[in-house]
């Protein structure tokens, strides 16, 4: 039987092409600008993974700064589109952030835009990203804001583990997908903070913030549980 996240990313398989059209036809959004502003230095010689890279629109940004870029996404369609759009990037593969095939301590940087919140079990995802990052490696992620997701959630139980339905902006025809709801404490809790140090945090400036971003640095040592 398919596991829930397999059924989930089939949604992106079905809608990947429309998603690409919608994103490329609108100007770079505030969230991407805020995310990119976190890179204030060169990435020369750094091995960087974009987790949930979609059709690959951020890969050239990292490569231009000197990174050796890898991209993963559990949607076959998204990875196909990424390969078509960016044939110069050989390291693109179909896999989710919560279970990858990379060796321990492989990456200097892991980035993820609007993808990590799709992982049904964030603890599993953080454990995996911690495993594949080098000590002092950076995890920079941007996800849907839990408040925004809460307002989409029909039963209005902040702590309830619900799937919520979300209509992706600007897609024609409109595309609604179901995704797991998370709370702030799913992102920032003892498990995460004993493995990572929080270095930056920013929320979307919309009336109801659509996103938040966090920059975490892997601690050199932590107490294992
Ligand atoms: C809204 S798109 C964002 C894509 C890209 N990062 C961007 O900013 O355009 C969400 C992406 O998350 C991917 N995704 C879904 N579940 C995932 C998981 N468990 N791990 C990594 N990516 C996932 C989807 O397949 C989809 O490509």
């Amino acid at each position: 039987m398919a596991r829930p996240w397999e059924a989930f990313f089939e949604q992106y398989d079905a809608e990947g092409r429309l998603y690409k059209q919608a994103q490329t036809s609108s100007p770079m959004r505030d969230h991407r600008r805020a995310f990119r502003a976190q890179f204030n230095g060169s990435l020369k010689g750094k091995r960087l993974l974009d987790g949930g890279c979609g059709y690959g629109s951020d890969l050239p940004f990292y490569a231009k700064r000197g990174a050796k870029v890898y991209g993963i996404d559990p949607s076959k369609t998204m990875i196909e589109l990424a390969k078509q759009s960016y044939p110069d990037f050989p390291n693109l593969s179909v896999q989710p952030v919560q279970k990858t095939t990379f060796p321990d301590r492989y990456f200097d940087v892991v980035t993820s835009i609007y993808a990590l919140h799709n992982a049904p079990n964030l603890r599993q995802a953080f454990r995996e990203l911690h495993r594949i990052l080098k000590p002092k490696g950076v995890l920079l992620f941007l996800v849907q804001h839990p408040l925004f997701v809460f307002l989409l959630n029909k039963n209005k139980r902040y702590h309830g583990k619900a799937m919520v339905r979300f209509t992706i902006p600007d897609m024609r025809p409109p595309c609604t997908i179901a995704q797991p709801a998370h709370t702030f404490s799913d992102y920032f809790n003892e498990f995460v903070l004993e493995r990572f140090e929080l270095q930056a945090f920013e929320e979307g400036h919309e009336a109801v913030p659509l996103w938040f971003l966090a920059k975490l640095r892997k601690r050199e040592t932590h107490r294992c549980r």
Side-chain angles (χ1 to χ4, degrees), residues 191-224:
F191 179 88
V192 174
L193 295 175
E194 72 183 9
R195 286 165 176 75
F196 295 96
E197 175 195 335
L198 179 62
Q199 295 210 312
F201 178 83
E202 187 174 338
E203 294 175 290
H205 305 283
E206 303 82 14
V208 174
L210 293 177
W211 53 268
F212 80 84
L213 69 77
K215 185 176 185 180
L216 303 176
R217 187 180 288 275
K218 178 173 169 172
R219 295 184 191 279
E220 283 183 87
T221 55
H222 75 276
R223 287 174 290 122
C224 274

Side-chain angles (χ1 to χ4, degrees), residues 25-83:
S25 63
S26 47
M28 190 166 85
R29 293 167 190 280
D30 288 352
H31 72 268
R32 214 172 291 278
R33 211 171 290 124
F35 193 85
R36 291 187 177 187
Q38 293 293 327
F39 292 91
N40 44 18
S42 159
L43 292 169
K44 198 157 192 273
K46 306 276 186 210
R47 201 180 273 145
L48 179 148
L49 173 67
D50 189 0
C53 64
Y55 63 88
S57 54
D58 293 297
L59 306 177
F61 174 83
Y62 304 129
K64 265 194 211 130
R65 276 151 190 78
K68 176 163 191 201
V69 179
Y70 291 66
I72 59 171
D73 198 290
S75 157
K76 286 195 197 88
T77 302
M78 286 297 198
I79 290 294
E80 256 169 41
L81 290 169
K83 286 183 173 169

Side-chain angles (χ1 to χ4, degrees), residues 22-208:
Q23 295 294 308
T24 46
S25 63
S26 47
M28 190 166 85
R29 293 167 190 280
D30 288 352
H31 72 268
R32 214 172 291 278
R33 211 171 290 124
F35 193 85
R36 291 187 177 187
Q38 293 293 327
F39 292 91
N40 44 18
S42 159
L43 292 169
K44 198 157 192 273
K46 306 276 186 210
R47 201 180 273 145
L48 179 148
L49 173 67
D50 189 0
C53 64
Y55 63 88
S57 54
D58 293 297
L59 306 177
F61 174 83
Y62 304 129
K64 265 194 211 130
R65 276 151 190 78
K68 176 163 191 201
V69 179
Y70 291 66
I72 59 171
D73 198 290
S75 157
K76 286 195 197 88
T77 302
M78 286 297 198
I79 290 294
E80 256 169 41
L81 290 169
K83 286 183 173 169
Q84 281 165 19
S85 310
Y86 305 105
D88 295 344
F89 290 85
N91 300 311
L92 304 178
S93 55
V94 177
Q95 42 184 331
V97 286
Q98 64 270 27
K99 192 164 172 18
T100 74
T101 52
F102 300 111
D104 294 355
R105 297 184 288 280
Y106 196 61
F107 291 104
D108 300 282
V109 182
V110 175
T111 58
S112 185
I113 300 186
Y114 271 137
L116 188 59
H117 57 248
N118 293 318
N121 181 333
L122 285 179
R123 177 176 288 215
Q124 198 185 354
F126 280 117
R127 183 184 284 118
E128 179 65 0
L129 297 176
H130 180 267
R131 182 185 72 72
I132 62 177
L133 269 171
K134 296 179 185 173
K136 294 193 175 175
V138 168
L139 168 60
L140 177 60
F141 68 87
L142 182 147
V143 289
Q144 277 189 346
H145 197 289
L147 176 60
F148 173 71
V149 179
F150 169 72
L151 293 174
L152 291 176
N153 188 345
K154 287 211 174 78
N155 67 18
K156 296 286 174 288
R157 285 174 56 239
Y158 180 68
H159 295 285
K161 290 287 166 219
M163 291 296 280
V164 293
R165 294 180 67 71
F166 167 66
T167 302
I168 298 177
D170 297 340
M171 279 183 64
R172 296 286 171 272
C175 164
T176 299
I177 55 162
Q179 61 184 46
H182 301 292
T183 63
F184 264 116
S185 48
D186 293 332
Y187 293 99
F188 304 110
N189 50 50
E190 202 184 348
F191 179 88
V192 174
L193 295 175
E194 72 183 9
R195 286 165 176 75
F196 295 96
E197 175 195 335
L198 179 62
Q199 295 210 312
F201 178 83
E202 187 174 338
E203 294 175 290
H205 305 283
E206 303 82 14
V208 174

